[in-house]
Structure formats: structure tokens, C-alpha cells
Amino acid sequence: MDLLPTQEQQQIIDTAASFLANEFPINQLLGAPNSDTRVSREHLQKIAQLGWLGIGLPEELQGVGYGLSEEVLLFVELGRNLMPPSLLGSVLGGRLTGLSGEHDRMRSLLDGDIKVALAISLPGSETKIGESISGEFLIYEPHEADLLLVADEGGAALLPLKSVQTTEDDRCIDETLGVSSAIAKNVPVLCYLPAENDNLFLRGTILVSAMLLGIAEATLARSVDYAKQREQFGKVIGSFQAIKHYCAEMAVRCESVRSMLYHTSITFQAQSPAGVFDACSLKALAIEAAQYNANTAIQIHGGMGFTREMDIHLFVKRAQALGTLFGGERYHLRRLLCEPVVD
Amino acid sequence: MNLDFTPQQLQFREQVRDWLQAHKPSEPRPEDGAEGRAFDLAWQKTLYTGGWAGINWPKAYGGQGFDTFQQLIFLMEYAKSGAPGDHYRFNGLNLAGPTIIACGDEEQKKTHLPPILKGDVIWCQGFSEPSAGSDLASLKTRAIVDGDELIVTGSKIWTSWARFADWQQLLVRTDPDAPKHAGISWVINRMDNPGMEIRPIHDMAGGSDLHEVFYDEVRIPLRNIVGGINNGWRVSMAQLSFERGTAFMPSQIETQKTIEELIELARNTRLDDGRLAIDDDHIAFQLAKLRAETRSLLAMTLLGISRNERSGMPGPEGSMLKLFQSELYKRITTVALDIVGADRARLSGLTGRWPQAFLGSFANTLGGGTSEVMRNIIGERYLGLPK
């Protein structure tokens, strides 16, 4: 038993962190209209060359051959750097096509030639996801996207974005992401993978939780740095218990979610009965941690935190957006309560 | 990253399971103090005879010298089996004993360690004082050297099970002129020493396991100082060197049992409006959240153990787990009150344990370092924020 990353896994973290810090510094997002300009098709191909999009796919499917544990480590770094959720679309799309035997399309997805937007079911929509889909959806990052990925507990489907009727662009709470809504009535899909073959909904749940942990950790780190520099009443504010205790609460949330993320990546990959229990627990905790930490970071940064000059607000907004993907807090809590006890 | 146990570890688990199943007491621990003491000592004797006493103690002192994973497995199986908790045995096994192992001289070890493992003695602690709570290092109980003895005068507070204990690990000020951390000594004191007065404190939950202890020129031989005079602060930290992050495992499993019992209770309890408590959204979401948090407590414990195993040093997770677990337990008991509704007013009957647990839960975020002290430690030692 060793829950910590191995040396090889640590290398994945370090490589991802330094690549992202160099290629996609977060200050690019300050004043940028949306993510489509930040991760262009060329960028996506460059990311694909690192093997990231197929990191968790078995080698026989032309993936890198790692498992979910390595995948979550990468997604923590993507979340920390506010990389767009369409990267998750590519990863899940690659898996979906690979496991459905659509090898050509999978290759294009893993090479970054195709961009996959994620869509969620809108409140009140009567959604059906299967060989065809119906319902009202909110699409994140519709611009330049080729395909749309939708998933629920029953399964996951991939379809051409063009095949659904999209409305005009909405404004997203996270201004770095575009959104539009779409209505689908019995639109046939390119491929559909039932959850009993591979549960992409819960895999997405776990990977979004990883991104949320990235946000929780990034906002903790920024808050601690700021609290060590900013002076008031002749002292750095980090010496005041009011600030120190906020930071401690944020740190505990990071520790709790990181532990659960590692644990879940193992139990889910092993298809143990604890996998679903863990995934639902993880998502609820990750949403709470990301939102608590990002929101508290604004308070710690004071008036400056409320400005667009600093990047904290981007994390607050991203935490809200990510929380909607693959089931919100209430969804997963309700589901968790229905699960049998695990050891 | 893995959660696997080796075949040897799995075999060990079977062995632990079988032994506990065959030997754990069938009757519940008596509530009465003197009977509780007798029960605890008898159980410790059984563990000793069976070869399970002192799982983290070195073999040289009669312990089992289990590695981290054997400790983890033993503690998990122990807690799951429903065998008795440490209760009065806690101090000797987890604090005083390990401190003597780490810092005691040969004579002290030979005299004091075997009786703890054999179930002959109970130990208690004399650290906090009326004016030295969170600020423990400001303690004032004075010890003056007189020949080959210390003469101790002062008072201690919050000493658990003092009137049922034989020995005490006591912190005294041996140099009032030194900086506050530097003038303290860690000494072994007999609880029947002349000049001592022990008064139980009646707590808000109806218990009286806590005590005030007064010292009026109490004489303690100098040879009972452990780790050298004026070195007590360092000595009091030494038991940490035995801590492998496994210490939280028993209470983690207790918490898991408690939340599952509470979910079961909610599935069988009707609210004022006739619905089952579990069908109330507010209650359901709170229960689910507590279930998720309890699950992460297990993961945090395992991550802490893994970290410890790699670095050989206790990390920050001790303070985080203490804070997380004690606050979580408090929330669990509060939700329990919501579920039992008006029955919260009754401490007897089938649901009486829940309001009783609520009353007791306040101790968790106070004893062993308050939540505020834990947050200071996390802020300063883990995050590097200034004092």
C-alpha cells in the first residue's frame, strides 16, 4: 500500500506543470475574449504530441498505456492552469471511439485534429442519450469544435456539433469559455458507448474533480503567497489568525480531496464496488473545496481580489463552470446515499 | 500509487482477525470507573498473553515491533472487530510508554515499560494548567531540587482518569529563569504520592473522567526525570517519533461506523410530518456529505501513512486529521439531533445515545489541542505563515 505517486508518476506531474507554465501562462487569460484563442487547433496538436490525450488509453488502442491514476495527475495540472474542459472532451472522446472500435476517428482525436466540446443537460430538459439524443443542452466551447460529447449514467455519445441546432452564443459565467445552448430531437450519434462497457460519465466525474483540485490548490498557493507579502497594521496579514485560519481550512480541503482523488483513481480503475462510492464522494468534496478555496481567496486578496487585474476571479468562475460537468454536488450526494456501505 | 497488501500482509490480517474473534470480550465495558479500570487491565493482560501487546513498541521492551503496515492492518481489524477501545490504557500505551522508550534510561525502562504491557498499571498525564492551556509552555507548576529529590508545588487540570491511575507523566518548571520552553522537565510521578489532591471535574456530558490535580510540596526522586533536567519540552515531543500516521485509524473506523449507523437511523426514523428522515432533502444531503467526508478521512489517513513511510517523519497530516476528524464528528452529532427530532430531549431510550454523543462531542475540538491551535499549526508549520 502506497498512496503517493511513484517516481514515474511524479515525472508526469512535473513535465505537465513546466510545459503548462511555459506554454500557457495564466496571464494570457487576463483580458482574453475566450479560450478558443488560447488553445488553438495548433496548440491542441502540440498538446496531442505529448501523448496527453491518450495518456490513459491502453497501448493496443494506440494510447500511452497508463491508467486512471496517471490521467488524474495530468488533469490536476490542467485544472491548476485553467486549461479548457474541451481537453477532457478529447480524452473522453478518444476513449469512447477507441472502445467502440472507431479507430480512424480515435486517431484524429488523439492527434488533436478534432476538437470535442462538452455539453451538459439543461435544468428541466427531458434528456435522452443513446443511439440518438434528445433534449436541451448547454455546450461549453462550441467555437471551432467538431464534435460534441454528452454523457449520463446510462452511457456516453459523440455526435457532430453541426447536427444539433445551436442558438446564439450565451455569455458564460467564466468569460474564458464560450457557451451556447442547443436543442436536439432524436439526433443520431456517431457512436454510443453504454456505461456497462465503460462508465465515461463517472470517469469524467473523476477527471473534472481533478481539475477542481487544481483550482483549490492554485487558489491556496496564491492566497498564502499574498498573505506573506501584503502588510497592514505594520504586519504581514498572514500573521493574523483570521487570515491564517482561512488558509488552514483551504489546506485541509486540498489534502482531503487529493487523498480522495488518489484513492478513487485506484478503486475505480480496479472496478471495485468502492469505485462508484468514491467517485461520488470525490466530486462532492472537490466542488466544495474548489469553490470554498477560490471564494475565500478573493476575501484574502481584499479589494484587489475583486479586480480584473488579478487572476483570482478566473478561478472563482471556472470552479462554478466545472462544477456543472458530469453531475453537480446534489446529484452526486443523492447518488452516494443510495450506494451500499463499502469497506 | 496502489492500495495493495502483500500475500504476507493478507495472511497477517487473517491471523489478527481470527485471534480477535476468539478473544475479544463479549460483555460491554462497565461505565463505573473502578470496574472500567479492572476491565481495561484484564483486556490488556489478554492481549499481552496472546502476543498482541504494544504493536508499535520495539521488541526489546516487550512490544511486537510491527512495521507500519502490520500496525495499520492490526488497527483496522481491531476497530472493525469491535474489541474494546484504549480507554484508561491510552496514556501508557500511546504517550508515556513511547516517551520512556525514546528518552528514558535503562532503569526507567525496566521499571515502567513491562507493567504497562502486562496490564498491571494505568497512566495519566499532567500537562495542562489553569493558566497554561493552548499556551502549554507557559506552565508554572514549580519543581525545586532538594538533594536527590524534586519538590513539586502547583496544579494541573484536564487530567483524564487521574483517580484511577497509578502513574503520571508530569511536566514541571525546573528553571523559572530560562526561556519558557527551556525550563521544563518531564517526570514520572506516583499517583499515591503524599501531598497530592485529586478532584474530579464534572463535565457537561455527565462524565467525571477529567480531574484537577493539586501538588503541595510533593517529593519526586530525581531519578524519575526522563531525558534530563530542563529538557522536558523536547521529551514531550519524543512520542511522536513512534507515530507512523496509523494513530488515527481506530477513530477513523469508529467515525465510519457512526455515520453508517446514523444513515440507518434516518432510514427508520419518522419526522414530525410522518416522512422518513432519509426522505427529507436537507437531512439526506447532510448525511451524504458526512459520508463523503468520512470516506476522505480514510484516504487522508492512508496518504499520511504513505508519506510517513517514505520520509520517516511525521508530516502535517496529523494536525489536519485531528482538525478534520474532530470537526466532522461534531457535525455528525448535530445532524443526528435533526434526525431524532424531539427525541433529542431524552437521554434514555433507544435514541438517547445521539444527544449524549452531541454533548460529548464538544470535547473533541478542545482536548489534545483546540481546533484553533490546529489551524495555527497548519498555517505556520505547513504553509509557512508567520507567527
Side-chain angles (χ1 to χ4, degrees):
Chain A
M1 192 287 293
D2 182 6
L3 208 47
L4 283 172
T6 61
Q7 254 184 2
E8 193 176 352
Q9 288 169 334
Q10 186 60 46
Q11 265 177 13
I12 295 173
I13 301 176
D14 296 342
T15 311
S18 78
F19 175 82
L20 292 169
N22 288 326
E23 299 283 325
F24 299 98
I26 282 179
N27 59 23
Q28 285 177 341
L29 285 171
L30 293 170
N34 62 51
S35 69
D36 302 332
T37 59
R38 186 176 181 228
V39 181
S40 65
R41 208 163 276 263
E42 290 70 39
H43 284 134
L44 185 61
Q45 286 161 347
K46 199 167 171 187
I47 289 170
Q49 279 164 17
L50 298 170
W52 287 4
L53 304 180
I55 186 173
L57 266 187
E59 285 174 72
E60 59 267 26
L61 290 175
Q62 304 172 41
V64 178
Y66 285 126
L68 184 56
S69 294
E70 290 77 13
E71 223 168 43
V72 300
L73 294 176
L74 173 62
F75 273 87
V76 175
E77 298 314 311
L78 294 173
R80 191 194 312 282
N81 279 275
L82 295 174
M83 294 298 278
S86 52
L87 293 176
L88 177 54
S90 294
V91 168
L92 293 177
R95 193 169 181 87
L96 201 169
T97 46
L99 295 175
S100 307
E102 301 238 352
H103 294 293
D104 291 344
R105 189 169 279 124
M106 178 194 71
R107 198 60 262 162
S108 314
L109 275 162
L110 296 189
D111 289 344
D113 297 337
I114 295 180
K115 181 171 164 184
V116 183
L118 291 173
I120 56 167
S121 182
L122 278 168
S125 151
E126 287 200 11
T127 305
K128 186 185 75 107
I129 297 172
E131 296 296 341
S132 68
I133 68 157
S134 299
E136 282 179 67
F137 297 92
L138 183 75
I139 305 169
Y140 284 101
E141 306 170 72
H143 299 277
E144 285 190 34
D146 310 285
L147 301 178
L148 194 59
L149 188 137
V150 289
D152 63 15
E153 290 271 1
L158 205 57
L159 60 154
L161 180 62
K162 287 199 300 278
S163 65
V164 294
Q165 193 188 356
T166 56
T167 63
E168 274 179 43
D169 287 357
D170 283 328
R171 286 174 59 216
C172 183
I173 184 172
D174 179 346
E175 69 254 39
T176 68
L177 301 174
V179 278
S180 61
S181 45
I183 297 173
K185 275 187 197 148
N186 292 316
V187 176
V189 301
L190 293 172
C191 49
Y192 175 70
L193 187 66
E196 56 261 33
N197 296 8
D198 194 73
N199 195 329
L200 286 187
F201 181 82
L202 285 181
R203 197 178 188 93
T205 298
I206 295 166
L207 295 173
V208 168
S209 301
M211 296 179 94
L212 286 162
L213 171 63
I215 288 174
E217 291 187 348
T219 45
L220 168 64
R222 278 165 167 72
S223 299
V224 170
D225 283 350
Y226 189 74
K228 285 177 183 171
Q229 289 163 22
R230 168 74 174 165
E231 286 185 25
Q232 284 292 274
F233 306 102
K235 289 179 180 171
V236 293
I237 61 168
S239 64
F240 299 123
Q241 288 192 341
I243 301 293
K244 191 177 287 176
H245 289 189
Y246 272 147
C247 293
E249 285 294 323
M250 293 161 82
V252 173
R253 280 165 174 78
C254 289
E255 175 80 1
S256 152
V257 175
R258 193 170 266 279
S259 309
M260 264 312 284
L261 182 67
Y262 290 178
H263 198 268
T264 308
S265 77
I266 298 167
T267 55
F268 190 80
Q269 173 95 15
Q271 298 181 317
S272 94
V276 177
F277 190 105
D278 282 352
C280 296
S281 300
L282 169 66
K283 183 77 190 295
L285 295 170
I287 290 176
E288 201 272 340
Q291 295 181 354
Y292 177 89
N293 285 15
N295 300 353
T296 305
I298 299 274
Q299 186 67 18
I300 291 173
H301 283 77
M304 284 307 293
F306 190 62
T307 67
R308 298 181 75 86
E309 205 175 307
M310 299 200 87
D311 59 19
I312 307 294
H313 69 106
L314 297 173
F315 291 94
V316 170
K317 296 165 181 175
R318 181 60 63 85
Q320 293 297 333
L322 288 180
T324 66
L325 291 168
F326 301 100
E329 193 178 11
R330 290 170 79 81
Y331 175 87
H332 284 287
L333 287 177
R334 197 183 289 280
R335 173 88 206 263
L336 174 60
L337 208 51
C338 299
E339 284 296 305
V341 192
V342 293
D343 228 8
Chain B
M1 229 186 262
N2 74 83
L3 290 168
D4 306 330
F5 288 120
T6 64
Q8 289 86 346
Q9 287 166 340
L10 292 173
Q11 202 187 341
F12 177 76
R13 185 165 74 182
E14 288 305 310
Q15 218 183 322
V16 174
R17 230 177 240 176
D18 292 347
W19 189 87
L20 285 168
Q21 217 44 47
H23 294 87
K24 69 172 184 188
S26 45
E27 72 279 20
R29 182 178 187 275
E31 281 186 29
D32 173 79
E35 288 174 31
R37 175 188 154 102
F39 178 93
D40 290 346
L41 290 175
W43 172 232
Q44 182 62 35
K45 258 188 215 331
T46 308
L47 284 166
Y48 182 79
T49 316
W52 298 105
I55 58 163
N56 58 342
W57 289 28
K59 285 194 170 144
Y61 305 111
Q64 308 306 323
F66 289 163
D67 68 29
T68 306
F69 299 104
Q70 289 172 311
Q71 287 181 38
L72 171 67
I73 291 164
F74 181 85
L75 291 171
M76 284 174 107
E77 292 308 317
Y78 188 96
K80 282 181 195 163
S81 77
D86 286 345
H87 297 282
Y88 293 180
R89 301 177 298 131
F90 178 83
N91 196 290
L93 289 172
N94 302 299
L95 302 173
T99 306
I100 293 172
I101 293 169
C103 302
D105 60 34
E106 223 22 64
E107 189 60 32
Q108 290 164 342
K109 288 176 183 171
K110 265 195 258 169
T111 313
H112 292 288
L113 296 177
I116 294 174
L117 291 188
K118 287 179 184 166
D120 293 335
V121 293
I122 295 296
W123 279 70
C124 66
Q125 181 167 284
F127 281 16
S128 296
E129 294 181 8
S131 302
S134 293
D135 182 13
L136 178 62
S138 71
L139 62 91
K140 291 196 193 76
T141 293
R142 184 79 177 90
I144 298 164
V145 179
D146 180 42
D148 56 2
E149 287 179 323
L150 288 171
I151 304 176
V152 175
T153 301
S155 66
K156 293 287 172 181
I157 196 167
W158 314 128
T159 299
S160 295
W161 47 86
R163 68 186 192 280
F164 305 106
D166 307 282
W167 295 94
Q168 178 177 46
Q169 50 169 135
L170 181 63
L171 287 182
V172 292
R173 184 154 304 279
T174 34
D175 183 355
D177 301 322
K180 66 179 181 179
H181 292 87
I184 296 170
S185 298
W186 195 105
V187 297
I188 299 169
N189 181 37
R190 291 181 69 93
M191 291 305 281
D192 58 358
N193 220 343
M196 286 174 62
E197 191 193 338
I198 301 168
R199 289 186 207 154
I201 296 169
H202 301 284
D203 67 58
M204 65 173 276
S208 54
D209 266 348
L210 298 167
H211 303 80
E212 290 177 285
V213 184
F214 299 90
Y215 307 80
D216 182 13
E217 301 195 349
V218 172
R219 292 185 165 266
I220 300 173
L222 280 180
R223 65 167 188 278
N224 281 13
I225 296 178
V226 171
I229 196 160
N230 296 329
N231 198 25
W233 190 257
R234 206 187 58 78
V235 172
S236 68
M237 304 290 155
Q239 42 91 10
L240 285 176
S241 62
F242 283 88
E243 171 50 25
R244 296 283 174 273
T246 56
F248 286 91
M249 209 62 223
S251 50
Q252 190 275 313
I253 289 171
E254 280 309 310
T255 310
Q256 194 199 342
K257 275 187 195 165
T258 308
I259 181 64
E260 293 306 331
E261 283 161 358
L262 195 56
I263 291 171
E264 203 44 41
L265 181 75
R267 288 189 174 125
N268 294 293
T269 303
R270 300 230 168 247
L271 301 174
D272 297 346
D273 58 14
R275 286 178 310 152
L276 287 171
I278 197 89
D279 293 331
D280 178 273
D281 271 355
H282 184 65
I283 288 175
F285 285 124
Q286 289 187 89
L287 283 172
K289 185 115 193 270
L290 294 169
R291 203 182 203 189
E293 288 172 320
T294 304
R295 188 67 175 164
S296 87
L297 200 58
L298 168 69
M300 282 167 85
T301 306
L302 296 177
L303 186 68
I305 291 169
S306 307
R307 223 183 252 143
N308 214 301
E309 195 58 15
R310 290 236 192 133
S311 69
M313 298 271 290
E317 52 282 340
S319 305
M320 292 203 190
L321 277 164
K322 157 78 165 91
L323 175 64
F324 192 85
Q325 178 155 22
S326 56
E327 295 289 341
L328 171 61
Y329 185 71
K330 251 176 143 172
R331 289 196 293 279
I332 291 175
T333 64
T334 312
V335 175
L337 297 188
D338 261 359
I339 294 169
V340 299
D343 261 336
R344 77 183 67 195
R346 293 198 298 177
L347 285 178
S348 52
L350 284 175
T351 56
R353 64 172 279 206
W354 297 108
Q356 182 62 51
F358 162 73
L359 294 177
S361 73
F362 290 89
N364 293 41
T365 54
L366 298 170
T370 63
S371 288
E372 288 69 29
V373 167
M374 293 303 120
R375 292 189 189 102
N376 281 348
I377 293 174
I378 296 163
E380 289 159 17
R381 296 190 207 156
Y382 178 53
L383 300 174
L385 292 168
K387 270 192 191 286

